[in-house]
Amino acid sequence: MNTDAKIVQRSIVGKGIAHDSAARHVAGEANYIDDMPELPGTLHAAFVLSPVAHGRLNSFDATEALAMEGVAGVWSAKDVPGHNEVGPIHTGETLFAEDIVDHEGRVIAVVAANDFETAYRAAKKVKLDIEPLEAVLDIEDAHRRKNYVVPVQEVVDGDVDTALADAPHVFSGKLKMGGQDHFYLETHIAYAIPGENGEMLVHSSTQHPTEVQHHVAGILGIHANAVECQVRRMGGGFGGKESQPTIIAGAAALIAAKTGKPCKMRLKRRDDMAGTGKRHDFVVNWKVGVDERGRILGLDAEYLARAGNLPDLTGPVITRALTHTDNSYHIPHARFVGHACKTNTVSNTAFRGFGGPQGIITIEAIIDTIARELKLEPNAVRAVNYYGDETGDTTPYGQKVDDNRLVEVTDAVLASADWQQRRAEIDAHNAANPVIRRGLAMMPVKFGISFNLTSLNQAGALVHVYLDGSIFLNHGGTEMGQGLFVKVAQVVAEVFQVELDMVRISSTATGKVPNTSATAASTGSDLNGMAAFKAATAIKARLTRVAAEHFDVEEEVIIYREGRVHADNRSVSFGELAKMAWAKRVQLSEAGHYATPKIHWDGKTMKGRPFFYFSYGAAVAEVAIDTLTGETRCLRADILQDVGSPLNPAIDLGQIEGAFVQGMGWVTCEELWWDKAGRLRTVGPSTYKIPGSRDVPPIFNVRILDNMPNREETVFRSKAIGEPPLMLGISIWLAIRDAIASIAGSVPQLDSPATPEAVLRSVREAKGRLKDS
């Protein structure tokens, strides 16, 4: 299907148009669920949460809570009329704990009251009888005990053991990388409104309305057709609202069904951080064999991922980590193994990048180590390992890299960042300044676009054309601030060649477009944009036949331009043509459906073509570190990102900047910390540090790769943008390593995040090496 057909000149797609809610965002006029007018009798809910990491739930006593004025009731597992299940993949992942509580913050019951504060206080009044059990909190401890939530996964290609045995040089190492809280501005929230005949309308802050719909139906013991989930917008998601919202929506819907009253449930920041999943922290042990140039001959990497108490999405996250361990480099002999370690902490979940960052930081640390051990320039080691004619073009999982833009992107960013000059200046600075050290690093990213599970790569859209020429648009994607809605609206406006304000963007609703996939994996525009394109194109084909008949010309003569439909020197407005079509009883509505072609994946052999295409990018980062305090600062960042032919370059630039800063937070300042009892202590902005405006590099150069349309047939030849730039933030961590390496000329011992404490420990270790030498 040619997405350029019958469009003479693009007038809307490719323009930098503001986010459809931008003005309302800054004016405080964009409505979120908590801004919705509450219906009379609305109840408010709060969870009763486990205060311990592991224990046997013998009983709980809600007498004192129920005696409080305004409390409507307390519900737990025994009150669920249907299935006490909320797992996105596996069964046994319950809404309410039944016999065992297995992490601090585990949901035991829910309290409803006339107002939120009363519900919250009442939840604290519920007395819990929990018999303490031993808690496993450490990933490596869980691995030693063989405590896993899903079976081991392996990507194997070639003969790794022989490659390592025959390699001229063999290096090994261990890297620990921390997790990350999503810290969306809007915490989890749902508003459930009961209807007649058992129907339930759920407004949910979710990236996956269909999953909320199905789980609410399961909890209530009704069919999915009795539940509608709607989402106008979220105040951020980042993956944290993919599987987790079913917990909040399920509880609110249960109360609404039990009481016959609307119920709103929203989490306080502390409860949101303690009780919902995060990015997986990993430990990876690796061994690599290389030749004299640093060319990788074989790599053996074993990942230990903190799954937490339940599987959630850990299995697919590990899959993506394993399929991104190669990043941009051909590895002829590979063995990548991933273990999903069960710990008594909250189950980790999706987060922007979805395992990709963990795989990519691993191989980048390995490349950096190879270079420093062999006394080579890191970029030279990268270059000799890039996918290409000299090395190879097939990944360890069997997909051919046939749209390679690595050399083009990396050469361009090195040139625009004045690498050679700045490298010399930084080396001179470090030779004369023992306290404030500077570092410089470049890294590329090759990121696969598509869900690993092939069946998820589909989307639907609904388009109506009304008699005044205005257009109604609905699709399965959700808006969380990333600009998906305006991009898809641009696609529809482009097809009909009308002004963008003629396209009405509507809330995502399972009653309009069913069986949707999550807005995740950077596929939102690819899937929903193409579905909307197909729907609009089908209507346009019918309109074109009407226009051709009206003007008595061949269909090929008809041209759509600037809100009018032309045949040579004659024309009618788009609205007039819609009226003509209606008068002729022509259908002006269409449901479009799109399924990504070419992809396939075998989860048993871990082979196939899981990704429709790759997105490429590169970044150069410069940092300064204080060797006395461990403090760091990114002084400059230069980014070049491949987005194909962008649907909206302004939105894309914003996504690149935001993703980079979020990635920077993951590798520098965002640290999750549990005490010895398994209680998360970083549960708010006072203890959990996300990047602020002063952390953004003062020199921040972001560019989009020009004139490089996607080789695959995506909507208007665009490429995904949501996740790939996050990995470029790893360049800051590499630059910190470079600064530390300048002290003793050795491989820095630095885990992630590079907090001031971690940097100071690494600096002291480097100074110790220097002294010993």
Side-chain angles (χ1 to χ4, degrees), residues 141-467:
D141 185 21
H143 179 53
R144 284 190 292 270
R145 297 172 184 237
K146 299 189 183 301
N147 287 355
Y148 308 123
V149 298
V150 294
V152 64
Q153 297 183 61
E154 291 185 283
V155 170
V156 179
D157 192 39
D159 185 348
V160 178
D161 294 327
T162 300
L164 292 174
D166 294 345
H169 302 279
V170 177
F171 308 116
S172 62
K174 177 179 181 178
L175 176 64
K176 295 182 178 181
M177 59 202 89
Q180 187 178 21
D181 191 86
H182 304 86
F183 217 93
Y184 24 67
L185 292 180
E186 177 200 40
T187 59
H188 278 281
I189 185 170
Y191 189 24
I193 303 170
E196 65 180 23
N197 197 27
E199 294 177 352
M200 189 66 65
L201 171 61
V202 181
H203 296 275
S204 174
S205 184
T206 178
Q207 296 172 237
H208 201 343
T210 289
E211 188 167 285
V212 167
Q213 175 198 23
H214 289 174
H215 278 299
V216 166
I219 290 166
L220 300 184
I222 60 179
H223 290 300
N225 62 5
V227 179
E228 180 170 9
C229 180
Q230 292 187 10
V231 189
R232 176 55 184 89
R233 60 173 61 85
M234 288 165 272
F238 310 117
K241 294 179 179 176
E242 183 173 342
S243 66
Q244 308 291 286
T246 58
I247 302 168
I248 292 79
L254 174 65
I255 294 170
K258 290 287 187 178
T259 64
K261 295 181 178 181
C263 180
K264 179 187 287 186
M265 181 162 209
R266 61 188 185 277
L267 301 187
K268 286 193 173 185
R269 179 67 62 182
R270 188 217 172 278
D271 292 344
D272 193 289
M273 294 188 72
T276 64
K278 314 178 189 317
R279 187 188 297 284
H280 294 71
D281 47 322
F282 275 57
V283 176
V284 58
N285 296 284
W286 56 266
K287 181 183 287 187
V288 66
V290 300
D291 64 16
E292 302 295 339
R293 298 186 303 159
R295 171 85 176 92
I296 295 175
L297 305 175
L299 174 60
D300 192 358
E302 182 180 43
Y303 291 92
L304 312 180
R306 181 192 298 275
N309 66 314
L310 297 168
D312 199 291
L313 294 169
T314 297
V317 166
I318 289 176
T319 302
R320 189 165 280 261
L322 300 182
T323 55
H324 282 76
T325 299
D326 62 320
N327 188 17
S328 304
Y329 313 110
H330 181 257
I331 303 172
H333 301 279
R335 180 168 58 225
F336 308 149
V337 180
H339 301 281
C341 301
K342 181 175 182 176
T343 57
N344 292 117
T345 52
V346 64
S347 62
N348 283 322
T349 191
F351 198 127
R352 196 176 197 174
F354 201 80
Q358 292 93 326
I360 288 174
I361 194 174
T362 297
I363 189 62
E364 290 302 325
I366 292 169
I367 290 285
D368 192 65
T369 298
I370 293 167
R372 298 190 190 283
E373 291 284 7
L374 296 179
K375 308 300 180 186
L376 299 172
E377 212 280 321
N379 291 344
V381 175
R382 289 187 172 88
V384 300
N385 284 289
Y386 285 155
Y387 281 103
D389 294 337
E390 184 180 339
T391 54
D393 60 3
T394 302
T395 67
Y397 49 90
Q399 178 161 349
K400 187 175 180 180
V401 181
D402 54 9
D403 60 342
N404 194 338
R405 298 177 179 178
L406 285 165
V407 173
E408 182 171 2
V409 170
T410 53
D411 284 355
V413 80
L414 287 169
S416 66
D418 301 317
W419 174 274
Q420 295 295 345
Q421 178 181 337
R422 290 168 62 202
R423 179 76 272 177
E425 291 173 352
I426 289 170
D427 290 344
H429 167 91
N430 289 338
N433 292 274
V435 176
I436 304 298
R437 295 276 181 160
R438 287 159 61 189
L440 188 68
M442 186 280 293
M443 67 164 289
V445 164
K446 172 186 67 66
F447 191 80
I449 303 300
S450 290
F451 291 99
N452 275 83
L453 182 61
T454 304
S455 60
L456 296 178
N457 295 284
Q458 59 176 308
L462 181 65
V463 176
H464 303 322
V465 174
Y466 296 109
L467 301 190

Side-chain angles (χ1 to χ4, degrees), residues 6-261:
K6 288 217 169 187
I7 294 174
V8 177
Q9 183 177 1
R10 293 186 191 175
S11 58
I12 298 169
V13 161
K15 282 191 174 181
I17 296 173
H19 190 291
D20 58 285
S21 298
R24 292 190 291 278
H25 283 155
V26 297
E29 296 173 354
N31 287 325
Y32 296 85
I33 293 174
D34 211 22
D35 299 317
M36 294 173 59
E38 293 177 5
L39 295 171
T42 292
L43 296 173
H44 297 260
F47 282 134
V48 178
L49 303 172
S50 170
V52 301
H54 196 201
R56 187 176 306 280
L57 179 62
N58 294 321
S59 64
F60 69 88
D61 183 359
T63 304
E64 192 174 344
L66 289 168
M68 292 178 60
E69 184 178 354
V71 172
V74 179
W75 295 267
S76 63
K78 63 181 176 59
D79 301 301
V80 175
H83 304 294
N84 185 29
E85 296 277 351
V86 291
I89 300 173
H90 303 276
T91 59
E93 301 186 27
T94 60
L95 171 58
F96 298 110
E98 295 177 348
D99 301 318
I100 299 294
V101 293
D102 44 15
H103 72 87
E104 183 225 7
R106 181 71 167 94
V107 175
I108 295 172
V110 64
V111 177
N114 293 335
D115 62 85
F116 176 70
E117 290 303 328
T118 298
Y120 189 78
R121 290 196 305 272
K124 301 298 182 185
K125 296 287 187 181
V126 175
K127 293 182 172 60
L128 303 173
D129 179 6
I130 300 176
E131 176 189 342
L133 298 172
E134 181 187 11
V136 177
L137 304 174
D138 181 71
I139 304 174
E140 293 174 282
D141 185 21
H143 179 53
R144 284 190 292 270
R145 297 172 184 237
K146 299 189 183 301
N147 287 355
Y148 308 123
V149 298
V150 294
V152 64
Q153 297 183 61
E154 291 185 283
V155 170
V156 179
D157 192 39
D159 185 348
V160 178
D161 294 327
T162 300
L164 292 174
D166 294 345
H169 302 279
V170 177
F171 308 116
S172 62
K174 177 179 181 178
L175 176 64
K176 295 182 178 181
M177 59 202 89
Q180 187 178 21
D181 191 86
H182 304 86
F183 217 93
Y184 24 67
L185 292 180
E186 177 200 40
T187 59
H188 278 281
I189 185 170
Y191 189 24
I193 303 170
E196 65 180 23
N197 197 27
E199 294 177 352
M200 189 66 65
L201 171 61
V202 181
H203 296 275
S204 174
S205 184
T206 178
Q207 296 172 237
H208 201 343
T210 289
E211 188 167 285
V212 167
Q213 175 198 23
H214 289 174
H215 278 299
V216 166
I219 290 166
L220 300 184
I222 60 179
H223 290 300
N225 62 5
V227 179
E228 180 170 9
C229 180
Q230 292 187 10
V231 189
R232 176 55 184 89
R233 60 173 61 85
M234 288 165 272
F238 310 117
K241 294 179 179 176
E242 183 173 342
S243 66
Q244 308 291 286
T246 58
I247 302 168
I248 292 79
L254 174 65
I255 294 170
K258 290 287 187 178
T259 64
K261 295 181 178 181

